[in-house]
Each structure stands twice: as C-alpha cells, then as structure tokens.
Amino acid sequence: MRWFTDPPPSLPPLISTLMYLFVSRLPLIMMMQLNSNLRIWTWSFLGLLEELKKLCLKCKPAKIVVTSELPLGAGLGSSAAFCVAISAALLALSESVKLDFSHQGWQKFGENELELLNKWAFEGEKIIHGKPSGIDNTVSTYGNMIKFRSGELTCIKTNMPLKMLITNTKVRRNTKALVAGVSERTMRHSNAMTAVFNAVDSISNELAAIIQTPVSDDLAITEKEEKLGELMEMNQGLLQCMGVSHASIESVLRTTFKYKLSSKLTGAGGGGCVLTLLPALLSGSIVDKVVQELESGGFQCLIAGIGGQGMEISFTGSS
C-alpha cells in the first residue's frame, strides 16, 4: 500500500507520451535515444505503473459510478471535484487513511490525510489541465474559501452566511486565448493594466477581511453584504477592463441589475458562469423571478451556499 501513502511524484505533462511508450513496449535501444529528462520520467512512470499493478492485484474488481450536479466545462471546478472524489475513494479502499467502515453517515479525513489527498488530486488536475493553479482541488478538499496570491494558497473561514446564484451562460470559453489576450493588453498598456491588477488585489484583500470578521446580528450581515456587492461590481468592471467579459455575461448582468443584485463573472471569463450575491433577507419570490427570467433566456441557474465542508466520505450509501 506504499504507493498511495507516499506523496505523489511531481510528473510533468508527458503522461500521454509515456503511456504510448509503455503500451507500444519500445525496445530498450529506442528508450536510450530519448533525452535524459524524458528517459528519467519514463522509467519513473513505468515504476509507478508497477506499484499500481501490485496494489490492484490485492484488490477485487470494482465499478466506479460518478454523478455530479456541477455543469462540466463551465469553470466551476468539476474536474477538481472528480479528482478529489476518486483520490479519496482510492485512499480509503487502500487503507491508507484511518476510517471507520461501519460508521453510519459521513466522515472526514484528518489534517495530514487531507494534505495527502490534496496532493494526489492535484496530480490528477495536472493530467487534465497541464498547469493548474491548485485552487480548485484545494477548495474541493478543504472546503470553505481559498485566498490565492503569487502561487500561495491560504484557507480562510467565512464568519457570515453567503449564498450565490450561479448562472451558467453555456458559452464555452477558450481560457488559453483569454489569458493571451490579457497578456497582450498588458504589454500595450503596462501602466494602466498594472493599476488594474493592483485594484483587483486590493478588492480581494478587502473581501477576505470582511468575510472573516465576526457578525453580531442581521443588520451587521446586511451592511457586510452591501460592501461585498460593491466589491463584486468593482471587480467586474476591472475584469471588463482586462477584456475577459462576453455578451452572454453582460446579458446576465443586465438582468440581475434590474433586481438590484450584484454580479460578476467567475473563472476565466469569455463565457462560463456568473456569480450573483443573494442577500440573506432577499425575498424568495424575487429569487424565483430572477431565475425564471434568466432561464427563459437559455441560461442555467444553480443556487449554492459559500463555505462548504470540503471532502467527506460515506460507506452507507448516504446522499
């Protein structure tokens, strides 16, 4: 069981090439003709497959059934949730984590076990995306909220209930092209774009401070929600300055603005999803009207609470 209990090796995005080498069983002479880095990673990968084979020989055949309420390819982290779920299941079944299989209901991993799970899920994200930031799998693993800056991830806890309307525009976005567009705009207008990025950083820091401050009553919650709404609107304006909005996103913004709700795009932009803050005291009938109008325009709507529990596992078929 050592293969799962050890931290995952850091593999470069050469999995498909290495799989081809393995399946084709290239002669040793051809392996030796590879450059040194590729040869090292090839042997490392073959060693991993051998360890996996040993592990699988000790396990009974199994069927994996995956269900998800998240729309795929919409920038909501569905691939990360998948990687976390699969990694957690394998860790549990390989007895690499301490769990009570007779326990009724949901269980959580310990802190060290969550760290191990997150590392394995990140490896899965690398296979899918190449160079992911690690934000999505960390959120899926630990829950709550993540602050990301300069490659550093910090888990933060919200001290107030937050509910969001998530609107899926169903427009597929090209993340690579959007990132390239922002880079080009930054090169053309370096001073202006630097100011935009600094403003985004200030908004992120202020938002993190607001949600971590304790609240005493509904009035305090309302005041905080108003500040969060303003920050979301400012952030959306800055994202528009970067050139990552889209006609479908603007359509959602116009609809939610009619009901005096604050919204912003999420993910890479260029389509994907829009977040709309739903205040705690907002009438349910207003929410229904907003959802009805958006869905009549061909959009998909989901409502989610912010600050979930993260990865939990059950052996009793709980739902």
Side-chain angles (χ1 to χ4, degrees):
M1 303 301 178
R2 179 181 60 81
W3 189 71
F4 276 110
T5 56
D6 286 349
S10 179
L11 295 177
L14 297 172
I15 299 300
S16 58
T17 303
L18 298 178
M19 282 296 290
Y20 174 79
L21 291 172
F22 178 71
V23 174
S24 301
R25 299 181 182 180
L26 292 180
L28 182 61
I29 184 66
M30 293 186 68
M31 291 283 286
M32 298 306 295
Q33 291 175 350
L34 299 172
N35 67 60
S36 59
N37 286 334
L38 182 56
R39 188 163 62 248
I40 291 171
W41 288 114
T42 300
W43 287 121
S44 299
F45 182 66
L46 295 179
L48 282 174
L49 287 180
E50 180 62 25
E51 291 291 334
L52 179 59
K53 179 176 133 183
K54 293 177 184 177
L55 173 66
C56 291
L57 287 175
K58 298 178 183 179
C59 298
K60 295 180 180 179
K63 179 180 181 180
I64 297 176
V65 178
V66 179
T67 60
S68 175
E69 296 178 359
L70 290 175
L72 306 181
L76 295 180
S78 59
S79 65
F82 170 78
C83 290
V84 169
I86 292 296
S87 298
L90 291 174
L91 285 167
L93 295 176
S94 66
E95 299 178 358
S96 299
V97 293
K98 295 180 180 179
L99 294 169
D100 182 1
F101 284 79
S102 63
H103 178 77
Q104 299 292 314
W106 296 95
Q107 301 180 66
K108 292 184 70 69
F109 283 11
E111 195 64 30
N112 292 336
E113 296 166 336
L114 284 174
E115 182 179 356
L116 177 64
L117 166 63
N118 197 36
K119 289 178 178 179
W120 275 112
F122 187 47
E123 292 303 313
E125 280 281 88
K126 286 181 184 178
I127 294 172
I128 297 172
H129 297 295
K131 293 183 178 180
S133 65
I135 296 176
D136 289 349
N137 54 276
T138 302
V139 171
S140 291
T141 299
Y142 292 97
N144 238 299
M145 303 180 73
I146 300 293
K147 183 179 179 181
F148 178 78
R149 183 180 182 183
S150 302
E152 294 185 6
L153 297 172
T154 305
C155 295
I156 59 178
K157 279 193 173 185
T158 173
N159 284 307
M160 58 182 292
L162 286 175
K163 186 179 290 185
M164 293 283 181
L165 171 65
I166 303 172
T167 304
N168 181 11
T169 65
K170 300 182 182 178
V171 175
R172 305 283 292 189
R173 72 255 184 272
N174 186 331
T175 302
K176 185 176 181 181
L178 289 163
V179 172
V182 173
S183 297
E184 291 172 4
R185 186 168 294 202
T186 301
M187 291 178 64
R188 291 195 300 270
H189 312 285
S190 59
N191 291 337
M193 289 296 284
T194 296
V196 169
F197 294 139
N198 288 337
V200 170
D201 185 55
S202 296
I203 288 173
S204 299
N205 289 331
E206 186 175 347
L207 185 143
I210 290 173
I211 62 176
Q212 291 181 93
T213 304
V215 291
S216 55
D217 51 35
D218 288 344
L219 179 60
I221 292 176
T222 300
E223 291 176 351
K224 281 194 171 188
E225 287 174 340
E226 291 175 354
K227 290 182 179 180
L228 291 178
E230 291 172 347
L231 291 173
M232 288 177 63
E233 291 171 359
M234 286 188 278
N235 183 250
Q236 175 61 29
L238 294 169
L239 292 168
Q240 289 169 330
C241 290
M242 295 181 195
V244 295
S245 191
H246 186 271
S248 62
I249 293 173
E250 298 301 319
S251 177
V252 174
L253 295 176
R254 286 193 296 271
T255 299
T256 58
F257 182 74
K258 286 194 301 183
Y259 295 91
K260 299 181 179 179
L261 298 176
S262 301
S263 302
K264 67 174 292 294
L265 67 84
T266 185
C273 292
V274 177
L275 298 179
T276 301
L277 179 64
L278 299 178
L281 300 181
L282 181 67
S283 167
S285 61
I286 297 296
V287 177
D288 292 339
K289 287 180 181 179
V290 176
V291 170
Q292 183 178 8
E293 186 168 343
L294 289 170
E295 290 183 340
S296 66
F299 302 122
Q300 177 189 14
C301 293
L302 305 164
I303 295 179
I306 305 300
Q309 294 296 315
M311 197 290 299
E312 295 178 296
I313 190 167
S314 173
F315 302 102
T316 59
S318 301
S319 58

